[in-house]
C-alpha cells in the first residue's frame, strides 16, 4: 500500500517511512520531524502520477483524491503549475534529481536568481551534495524573459503542444587576438549614412578589416574605402579620423571640427538611440581585439572575427551579436529564431545588453560626443545555445 499525502498550506506532508522512501533514496521533498517529509505541489503531483502515492487529502478529514483532481486544484492555486510540472517530470525521466528553488527546500540556497524554478543536480548527486548542474527557469511559449541577469540560467521553454526546448544562457564575453592599430591621420567625407576615406592605407582594410573598398571592374580610383557610421564614429572617437567635408549635415552635428560628434549625430538621425548602443558594443569588441562587422545578412547587429591577420586569409566569423537595451524582454520565439539561425550558420549567438542611450531617451538628449565614447561602457554579455540535458 502506497502512503497518502495531506495538503497543508502549499506543501504536501507525507508520514510513515517517507523520509527513507522518498527523500533519502530519491531526493524528493525536504525532511521534517522524524520520518515525515514535505513535498512541493509539483513533487507531490509527480509521485501521484507515478503511483508512488495512493492519494492526497486536500483538506482535513477529506477523502484523498487522485492525480486528476490534485492536478486541477494545483493548477488553480499555484502560478504556472502545469508548465512547471511538465518540466519537472521531463527532467526526472532523464535521470535528474531536482529541488524547488525556494526556501526552505534544499534548492532555495542553490538558486542564483529568484526567476529560477528548480535546480537540477548532477546525475548521481542528491540535494545533500549540493552539486547543481542546471538552474532551471520554466517559461511558457507566450511568456517573456528579461535580458538583464539572464546569464547562468537554463531556460526550459514549454510550447503550446507541451514540447520542451532547453537553452543554456552563459556569461559570453567575447575576446579576440587581432593585433592591429589603425593610423591616426585618416580623413573622410561624411555622407548620408556612411563615411568615405579617399586615400585609405591598404592595411586599414586588409589587416584591420575596416570598411569596404570602393571598387569595380572598370574603376580608375584607388584607396577609396567606405566606412559604416559605427566604424567611422569609433575611429573618430579615438582621434584617428577627421572630416574634410559633410554632405547634408546641419548644425546639430556638433562643432565644425568635431568629427566624432558629427558622425554620432548623423548615426542618431539614421537609427535613433539604437546607434548609441551599437557604437558602445562595437567599441567594446574592438577594445577586446575582435573585429566586428555588420550582421545584417543574419538578422543581427554584428558578426565577429576573433583573429584576423589578413582579409585574404579571413577565417569564419565565430559569433552573431545582437545589441539589446537593459530593459529588453525576450520572447521565447525570438530566442529560438536567433539561436537556431546562429547554429545553422555555425556561429554562437551572443547578446550585448546595455543601458547606453537610455539616459538620452529619458532625459531628452545628451552631448553627441558622450554616446559610446568609452570602450569600457557597461555591457552585459550573454550567449545562448540549445541544450540537451
Amino acid at each position: 500500500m502506497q502512503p497518502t499525502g495531506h495538503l497543508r498550506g502549499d506543501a504536501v506532508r507525507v508520514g510513515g517511512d517517507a523520509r527513507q522512501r522518498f527523500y533519502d533514496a530519491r531526493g524528493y521533498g525536504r525532511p521534517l520531524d522524524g520520518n515525515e517529509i514535505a513535498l512541493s505541489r509539483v513533487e507531490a503531483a509527480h509521485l501521484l502520477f507515478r503511483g508512488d502515492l495512493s492519494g492526497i487529502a486536500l483538506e482535513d478529514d477529506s477523502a484523498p483524491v487522485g492525480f486528476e483532481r490534485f492536478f486541477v486544484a494545483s493548477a488553480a492555486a499555484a502560478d504556472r503549475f502545469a508548465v512547471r510540472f511538465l518540466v519537472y517530470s521531463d527532467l526526472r525521466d532523464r535521470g535528474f534529481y531536482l529541488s524547488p528553488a525556494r526556501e526552505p527546500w534544499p534548492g532555495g540556497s542553490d538558486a542564483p536568481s529568484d526567476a529560477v524554478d528548480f535546480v537540477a543536480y548532477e546525475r548521481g548527486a542528491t540535494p545533500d551534495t549540493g552539486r547543481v548542474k542546471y538552474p532551471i527557469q520554466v517559461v511558457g511559449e507566450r511568456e517573456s524573459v528579461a535580458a538583464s541577469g539572464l546569464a547562468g540560467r537554463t531556460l526550459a521553454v514549454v510550447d503550446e503542444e507541451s514540447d520542451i526546448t532547453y537553452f543554456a544562457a552563459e556569461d559570453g564575453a567575447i575576446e579576440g587576438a587581432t593585433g592591429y592599430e589603425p593610423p591616426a591621420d585618416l580623413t573622410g567625407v561624411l555622407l548620408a549614412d556612411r563615411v568615405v576615406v579617399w586615400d585609405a592605407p591598404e592595411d586599414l582594410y586588409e589587416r584591420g578589416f575596416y570598411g569596404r573598398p570602393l571598387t569595380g571592374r572598370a574603376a580608375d580610383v584607388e584607396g577609396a574605402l567606405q566606412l559604416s557610421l559605427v566604424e567611422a564614429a569609433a575611429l573618430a572617437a579615438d582621434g584617428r579620423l577627421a572630416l574634410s567635408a559633410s554632405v547634408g549635415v546641419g548644425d546639430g552635428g556638433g562643432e565644425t571640427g568635431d568629427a566624432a560628434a558629427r558622425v554620432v549625430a548623423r548615426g542618431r538621425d539614421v537609427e535613433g538611440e539604437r546607434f548609441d548602443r551599437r557604437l558602445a558594443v562595437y567599441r567594446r569588441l574592438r577594445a577586446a581585439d575582435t573585429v566586428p562587422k555588420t550582421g545584417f545578412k543574419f538578422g543581427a547587429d554584428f558578426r565577429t572575427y576573433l583573429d584576423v591577420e589578413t582579409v585574404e586569409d579571413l577565417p569564419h566569423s565565430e559569433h552573431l551579436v545582437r545589441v539589446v537595451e537593459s530593459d529588453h524582454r525576450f520572447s521565447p520565439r525570438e530566442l529560438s529564431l536567433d539561436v537556431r539561425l546562429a547554429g545553422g550558420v555555425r556561429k554562437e549567438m551572443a547578446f550585448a545588453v546595455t543601458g547606453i542611450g537610455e539616459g538620452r531617451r529619458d532625459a531628452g538628449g545628451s552631448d553627441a560626443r558622450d554616446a559610446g565614447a568609452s570602450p569600457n561602457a557597461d555591457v552585459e554579455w550573454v550567449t545562448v545555445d540549445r541544450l540537451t540535458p
Side-chain angles (χ1 to χ4, degrees):
M1 181 69 179
Q2 304 293 11
T4 298
H6 299 269
L7 182 64
R8 298 291 183 269
D10 199 35
V12 174
R13 295 193 172 205
V14 184
D17 63 349
R19 174 161 184 158
Q20 292 86 354
R21 182 192 294 228
F22 297 126
Y23 179 77
D24 292 341
R26 296 154 64 189
Y28 285 95
R30 60 184 175 88
L32 299 175
D33 294 335
N35 287 324
E36 190 178 28
I37 65 168
L39 301 167
S40 69
R41 284 181 179 266
V42 168
E43 291 175 308
H46 186 250
L47 288 172
L48 198 57
F49 181 75
R50 289 171 49 89
D52 291 329
L53 291 177
S54 62
I56 295 175
L58 300 181
E59 299 176 2
D60 290 340
D61 300 325
S62 64
V65 300
F67 173 77
E68 180 180 343
R69 285 275 307 277
F70 181 74
F71 186 92
V72 171
S74 294
D79 181 46
R80 299 160 48 253
F81 175 82
V83 290
R84 288 190 293 113
F85 173 80
L86 290 171
V87 172
Y88 183 91
S89 297
D90 180 67
L91 289 169
R92 274 283 180 176
D93 289 346
R94 292 172 185 262
F96 291 98
Y97 288 175
L98 295 90
S99 292
R102 70 175 195 266
E103 297 291 354
W105 268 261
S109 58
D110 294 324
S113 165
D114 290 341
V116 171
D117 293 280
F118 307 110
V119 292
Y121 301 94
E122 293 179 357
R123 283 190 173 90
T126 66
D128 286 336
T129 67
R131 296 197 302 271
V132 173
K133 179 71 171 177
Y134 302 116
I136 306 292
Q137 179 178 353
V138 180
V139 184
E141 179 185 344
R142 296 178 181 86
E143 297 180 65
S144 63
V145 182
S148 183
L150 181 60
R153 301 181 213 161
T154 299
L155 299 180
V157 179
V158 183
D159 67 23
E160 65 180 359
E161 294 184 351
S162 299
D163 283 334
I164 303 169
T165 304
Y166 294 94
F167 297 95
E170 303 291 345
D171 181 350
I174 300 173
E175 300 287 340
T178 302
Y180 176 77
E181 288 291 328
D185 56 353
L186 302 170
T187 302
V189 175
L190 176 59
L191 304 179
D193 62 352
R194 65 204 63 224
V195 169
V196 177
V197 178
W198 292 110
D199 56 352
E202 184 177 346
D203 277 359
L204 188 62
Y205 175 72
E206 292 295 332
R207 294 191 58 236
F209 205 10
Y210 282 91
R212 184 179 180 86
L214 188 61
T215 60
R217 289 183 179 179
D220 192 30
V221 176
E222 294 183 2
L225 191 69
Q226 301 176 87
L227 299 172
S228 71
L229 288 177
V230 74
E231 290 175 312
L235 288 168
D238 288 337
R240 300 179 184 276
L241 174 68
L243 296 178
S244 61
S246 303
V247 175
V249 178
D251 295 335
E255 300 174 6
T256 303
D258 192 340
R262 293 161 71 188
V263 178
V264 168
R266 175 46 58 97
R268 289 173 175 172
D269 288 343
V270 170
E271 56 180 316
E273 67 187 36
R274 179 171 172 267
F275 183 81
D276 297 49
R277 292 192 291 273
R278 293 180 64 241
L279 175 56
V281 172
Y282 179 92
R283 298 201 67 202
R284 281 290 299 271
L285 289 167
R286 280 285 184 180
D289 293 331
T290 67
V291 176
K293 298 295 286 184
T294 179
F296 172 78
K297 291 182 179 179
F298 306 102
D301 288 288
F302 302 111
R303 67 189 194 276
T304 63
Y305 300 86
L306 300 186
D307 190 3
V308 175
E309 294 185 2
T310 69
V311 173
E312 296 295 326
D313 190 24
L314 194 67
H316 285 289
S317 57
E318 293 88 354
H319 298 87
L320 295 182
V321 179
R322 268 193 60 200
V323 182
V324 298
E325 58 270 34
S326 59
D327 60 356
H328 182 75
R329 296 188 67 87
F330 293 111
S331 72
R333 185 181 298 273
E334 175 188 10
L335 275 177
S336 182
L337 284 170
D338 284 340
V339 173
R340 174 70 74 178
L341 188 150
V345 293
R346 295 180 296 169
K347 306 183 196 311
E348 187 171 33
M349 192 68 223
F351 298 95
V353 186
T354 179
I356 292 293
E358 293 175 5
R360 247 181 30 87
R361 176 185 64 198
D362 298 337
S366 68
D367 192 313
R369 286 167 291 186
D370 295 336
S374 172
N376 299 315
D378 186 21
V379 176
E380 178 186 348
W381 297 97
V382 185
T383 60
V384 180
D385 293 302
R386 286 282 297 270
L387 172 71
T388 301

